[in-house]
Amino acid sequence: MDRSRRELMGGIGAGLVLAGMGGTTACAAPPRKLGYAIVGLGYYATQQIMPNFAGCDHAKLVALVSGTPAKLAQYGDQYGIPKTHRYSYAEFDRIGDNPDIDIVYIVLPNSLHAEYSIRAAQAGKHVMCEKPMAVSAAECQAMIAACAKAGRKLMIGYRSRFEPYNRLAIELARGGHVGPTRIITAEHGFPIKAGQWRLDRPLSGGGSMMDIGIYSLNAARYLTGEEPVEVSAIASTDRSDPRFASVEDRIDFMLRFPSGIIANCVSSYSSAHNGYRVIGTQGWIDMEPATQYSGQTMMIRKDGVTAPRSLPVPAKNQFAAQLDHLPECIANGTAPIVAGEEGLADLRVIEAIYRSAAEHRSVSLSA
Amino acid sequence: MDRSRRELMGGIGAGLVLAGMGGTTACAAPPRKLGYAIVGLGYYATQQIMPNFAGCDHAKLVALVSGTPAKLAQYGDQYGIPKTHRYSYAEFDRIGDNPDIDIVYIVLPNSLHAEYSIRAAQAGKHVMCEKPMAVSAAECQAMIAACAKAGRKLMIGYRSRFEPYNRLAIELARGGHVGPTRIITAEHGFPIKAGQWRLDRPLSGGGSMMDIGIYSLNAARYLTGEEPVEVSAIASTDRSDPRFASVEDRIDFMLRFPSGIIANCVSSYSSAHNGYRVIGTQGWIDMEPATQYSGQTMMIRKDGVTAPRSLPVPAKNQFAAQLDHLPECIANGTAPIVAGEEGLADLRVIEAIYRSAAEHRSVSLSA
């Protein structure tokens, strides 16, 4: 048992008070800030995640892993990471020897998520992994098994679950604020620029669906709290567009849920979309933008009246709240609200979506 | 050849000037207002269509057909229709003897559209028929053939094609105002009240799809100017709800068009929807409400800026413009912009939508 884990176990034994997580999930506060190693220093890691450790109560950045020495130097210096805590991929497995690292956050291209998550667990570390969790449901299952075997937690980076408007939308939709939900529409997309790993199937595992369409899918699932039983999809990709030589552009899909709710979803790499609407028997809850980094806007129509719904700016933004959630769950011995099973559930549906589009038929899923 | 037709032919021969239809379609003005017989005196006929003859330049109400003597008396008196121009269904075929009637407007339950349209044509009258044109593509073909054989025009009541915002949306979408269209989303629905013929399959031919989902379908077709080549649908109906004993509640569908555009469409009898959005590579054109009787609201997002687009109130509303269009086309010898072929095209797709939902597979259509 490494030092950090012993400390944590001691902390839990001491009976810590509940941390104020703004209502996410009641977890005990860890005895100290837990240390994250960030694996993969691309745009999202360096520009969105890393600056937000400053707003965390329970998380701190302690190590970096990259294949680019210049990035290790630049961001290592910027964040005061000692050279002993900067790793190349060849040195990755040595993180097991570093007691300052409690959590490894995988921000690599999708096809590397499973390998590095499993190696991190085997090195005795807890794992945070970006979405999509992996490029297949089988990989997700292997990740869950590896973390379970190592006795380490696994959490997927579904940041919208830590964003106040999305949390309110879940509460309102599931609580029947506009009557029982009948239809959900969810659209996500952006015109992608050429020259990214996201457009290279061996690295991405797929196109818009893996990257941005997953927000439509995940929203449909979290707004219903149900798992779809039928999936139908249609893909449309201009293969003469050099961006889409190996991955899909547009793939739209419908999901039927056990309660009868139908979700109509858009996924696109050639047009801009960011919104969803929950339509009940008495009105609707609309979010646009819904899942961007900031600026969420909610409108509610109920009994014939349409009005905006505003929330105060949270003390902790969605990135910091997500980074703090895993340390809290580790301290408390609870499961993250977006554990590996959540990523697996999305990948199961994504595989059904791809199969439906390829075979021109709807695909049944067990509830 | 009846008298009204001889008059019209003479009028066309005289070379009439073009009528100012506000840009719909240039047609010659008829020499006099043409007379309509309204068949079926339900809500839509009496509350929406009949009051709008007052705003017409080329159309007037001259006859009524109903199975309810009290309605014939009430509306006959209200609109000054002489008793000689009030018909029961048993007397319907006598309209052929009435030279004041130029056009028969069928506003009956869907399953009666074909029979009465064909009998009207056989009586020597031009035909306006409400949407859905009929309950099958085969019926639509029979209607087209009957009108062609009788030398009479056939027009379907797609009033949105005479509504200025929808006409602007068509122009902007097809003209690439926000770049080439990639995705269209279209949602139509309302919580239906029990006790209507629309919920009785022998009269309606189907549920929400026939009645309100057809607006989503028709919008996807007129906003693209294309015919879908692939259709996929999922239905969801609570059969324990007494409203839905014989017809579907929700049926959502996706359409793939030859250019690659995908349309995601909602049709619902248990939730309220009225909107569409055309998403191009550079932004989108949003309409909500889109196809209501009034109150259309357009928002356009282009190059990162979202702004409303307002049009002046037209001198002639969509109902009056529609009523005037057929007389203009009769005078000019041109085809209505929403001729029988337009209704047939929708029914072909509706049949594919129903088949897709029933067989859990996508259905291919020839372009």
Side-chain angles (χ1 to χ4, degrees), chain A residues 172-173 175-182 278-283 302:
Chain A
L172 295 175
H177 182 68
V178 290
T181 302
R182 293 304 190 196
V278 178
I279 305 97
T281 56
Q282 296 162 34
K302 187 173 181 178

Side-chain angles (χ1 to χ4, degrees), chain B:
Chain B
M1 189 181 285
D2 66 53
R3 198 182 79 195
S4 63
R5 194 177 175 213
R6 281 196 304 273
E7 284 178 0
L8 275 173
M9 298 292 279
I12 292 164
L16 293 165
V17 296
L18 293 178
M21 254 292 287
T24 305
T25 297
C27 290
R32 58 170 177 83
K33 286 189 174 184
L34 296 199
Y36 274 80
I38 299 291
V39 184
L41 298 180
Y43 169 82
Y44 190 70
T46 62
Q47 305 307 308
Q48 299 299 333
I49 296 170
M50 284 156 54
N52 278 299
F53 281 101
C56 288
D57 296 316
H58 311 303
K60 60 183 176 182
L61 177 61
V62 299
L64 301 174
V65 183
S66 173
T68 308
K71 285 186 180 178
L72 285 175
Q74 176 191 346
Y75 295 108
D77 290 353
Q78 181 180 335
Y79 286 94
I81 309 297
K83 291 199 168 59
T84 52
H85 290 52
R86 304 176 190 179
Y87 299 87
S88 70
Y89 291 111
E91 300 161 333
F92 179 79
D93 297 304
R94 290 195 210 155
I95 60 171
D97 303 325
N98 187 335
D100 294 334
I101 300 172
D102 301 292
I103 298 166
V104 173
Y105 191 162
I106 311 296
V107 204
L108 291 166
N110 307 336
S111 67
L112 302 172
H113 287 185
E115 177 191 340
Y116 281 85
S117 292
I118 291 168
R119 285 167 64 183
Q122 288 171 343
K125 305 304 181 184
H126 300 284
V127 178
M128 176 91 82
C129 181
E130 258 313 305
K131 62 193 167 314
M133 181 173 170
V135 298
S136 71
E139 282 189 348
C140 296
Q141 287 165 328
M143 293 161 73
I144 292 169
C147 290
K149 186 178 175 190
R152 292 299 180 272
K153 293 201 182 292
L154 172 57
M155 172 170 159
I156 312 304
Y158 289 108
R159 64 180 160 72
S160 293
R161 295 292 294 277
F162 300 91
E163 191 285 313
Y165 283 94
N166 280 275
R167 280 158 48 190
L168 176 59
I170 292 171
E171 183 185 319
L172 294 175
R174 297 197 200 173
H177 183 68
V178 290
T181 302
R182 294 304 190 197
I183 303 276
I184 290 173
T185 59
E187 300 89 21
H188 285 83
F190 63 93
I192 196 164
K193 295 200 175 90
Q196 303 184 37
W197 65 259
R198 295 169 195 282
L199 295 170
D200 184 9
R201 177 175 293 276
L203 290 174
S204 62
S208 71
M209 185 66 227
M210 283 285 183
D211 182 34
I212 188 73
I214 192 173
Y215 285 85
S216 293
L217 165 59
N218 198 245
R221 290 181 51 254
Y222 63 66
L223 292 166
T224 57
E226 300 180 32
E227 296 301 329
V229 290
E230 185 178 4
V231 173
S232 181
I234 285 186
S236 182
T237 302
D238 176 2
R239 294 293 177 192
S240 74
D241 185 324
R243 296 175 297 175
F244 306 126
S246 75
V247 300
E248 83 277 0
D249 168 11
R250 286 155 283 173
I251 185 161
D252 290 2
F253 53 98
M254 301 182 292
L255 309 171
R256 185 169 57 81
F257 291 93
S259 67
I261 296 169
I262 301 178
N264 269 37
C265 300
V266 168
S267 173
S268 174
Y269 258 169
S270 63
S271 45
H273 316 250
N274 192 295
Y276 59 67
R277 185 178 289 193
V278 178
I279 306 96
T281 55
Q282 296 162 34
W284 43 253
I285 301 155
D286 188 276
M287 286 267 285
E288 184 176 14
T291 64
Q292 289 184 356
Y293 300 154
S294 61
Q296 274 69 13
T297 302
M298 179 181 280
M299 299 287 292
I300 297 179
R301 183 170 179 81
K302 187 172 181 179
D303 300 328
V305 178
T306 306
R309 177 76 177 260
S310 293
L311 293 174
V313 176
K316 202 186 289 186
N317 72 17
Q318 58 185 317
F319 294 94
Q322 177 184 303
L323 289 167
D324 270 348
H325 182 65
L326 185 52
E328 290 176 311
C329 292
I330 291 167
N332 202 45
T334 55
I337 61 170
V338 282
E341 288 73 12
E342 180 72 8
L344 168 62
D346 270 357
L347 260 295
R348 281 179 70 230
V349 182
I350 289 173
E351 288 183 345
I353 287 168
Y354 281 134
R355 196 177 317 129
S356 173
E359 299 180 4
H360 301 276
R361 64 178 180 87
S362 79
V363 173
S364 292
L365 291 168
S366 53

Side-chain angles (χ1 to χ4, degrees), chain A residues 23 36 44 55 75 79 83 93 107 131 134 136 139 187 266 299 333 349 366:
Chain A
Y36 275 79
Y44 189 70
Y75 294 108
Y79 286 93
K83 291 199 168 54
D93 297 304
V107 203
K131 64 192 166 315
S136 71
E139 281 189 348
E187 300 88 21
V266 167
M299 299 288 292
V349 183
S366 52

Side-chain angles (χ1 to χ4, degrees), chain A residues 101-258:
Chain A
I101 300 172
D102 302 292
I103 298 166
V104 173
Y105 191 164
I106 311 297
V107 203
L108 291 166
N110 307 337
S111 66
L112 302 172
H113 287 185
E115 177 190 341
Y116 280 86
S117 292
I118 291 168
R119 284 166 66 183
Q122 289 171 343
K125 306 304 181 185
H126 300 284
V127 178
M128 176 90 82
C129 180
E130 257 313 305
K131 64 192 166 315
M133 181 173 170
V135 298
S136 71
E139 281 189 348
C140 295
Q141 288 165 328
M143 293 162 72
I144 291 169
C147 290
K149 185 177 176 188
R152 294 299 181 271
K153 292 199 184 293
L154 172 58
M155 173 171 159
I156 312 303
Y158 288 108
R159 64 180 161 71
S160 293
R161 296 292 294 277
F162 300 92
E163 191 285 313
Y165 283 94
N166 280 275
R167 280 156 49 188
L168 176 59
I170 292 171
E171 184 185 320
L172 295 175
R174 296 197 201 173
H177 182 68
V178 290
T181 302
R182 293 304 190 196
I183 302 277
I184 290 173
T185 59
E187 300 88 21
H188 285 83
F190 62 93
I192 196 165
K193 295 202 175 87
Q196 303 183 38
W197 64 259
R198 296 170 194 281
L199 295 170
D200 184 10
R201 178 175 293 274
L203 290 174
S204 62
S208 71
M209 185 66 228
M210 283 285 184
D211 182 34
I212 187 74
I214 193 174
Y215 284 87
S216 293
L217 165 59
N218 198 246
R221 289 181 51 253
Y222 62 66
L223 292 166
T224 57
E226 300 180 34
E227 295 301 328
V229 291
E230 184 177 4
V231 173
S232 181
I234 285 186
S236 182
T237 301
D238 176 3
R239 294 294 177 192
S240 73
D241 185 324
R243 295 174 298 175
F244 306 127
S246 75
V247 300
E248 82 278 0
D249 168 11
R250 285 157 283 172
I251 185 161
D252 291 2
F253 52 99
M254 300 183 292
L255 310 171
R256 185 168 57 83
F257 291 92

